[in-house]
Amino acid sequence: VQLQASGGGLVQAGGSLRLSCAASGSTFSINAIGWYRQAPGKRRELVAAISSGGSTNYADSVKGRFTISRDNVKNTVYLQMNSLKPEDTAVYYCNADLFQDGSTWYAGDYWGVGTQVTVSS
């Protein structure tokens, strides 16, 4: 499975961006796809995930502002980010085949190249 992420950039606080993650290869085997982010000096954290059936999960810090969706025909997952804050600044990574065990999510084996999101105040 190969993942191609795009859509990052520089935006002012309160603005919006949409990230895209296009999957190719053996996509039929993928369960959930999600977005992680990593800010300088911080751990990589799960931002949002969507299962093959469309169930979604969000970090508390982005609930109500970010929306994850998927187009199964195009094998693409989107992350719509609204009301962006400077603390959303990070490198965002697409990840495929995440799974959940109880309340804990575990990253899958497939990663896209990160895309930088910078939110200015």
Side-chain angles (χ1 to χ4, degrees), residues 46-119:
L46 179 63
V47 175
I50 186 166
S51 72
S52 57
S55 298
T56 58
N57 182 80
Y58 296 94
D60 287 343
S61 59
V62 307
K63 283 180 181 177
R65 300 188 298 121
F66 291 11
T67 303
I68 190 169
S69 60
R70 65 192 293 165
D71 183 330
N72 289 329
V73 174
K74 295 182 178 180
N75 288 327
T76 300
V77 170
Y78 304 97
L79 184 67
Q80 179 66 44
M81 305 185 294
N82 298 329
S83 302
L84 282 161
K85 304 176 180 180
E87 50 263 44
D88 294 317
T89 295
V91 178
Y92 285 69
Y93 297 91
C94 181
N95 179 251
D97 216 21
L98 299 86
F99 64 95
Q100 186 178 17
D101 183 5
S103 61
T104 302
W105 282 87
Y106 295 88
D109 292 333
Y110 309 103
W111 292 93
V113 175
T115 184
Q116 176 72 46
V117 171
T118 302
V119 184

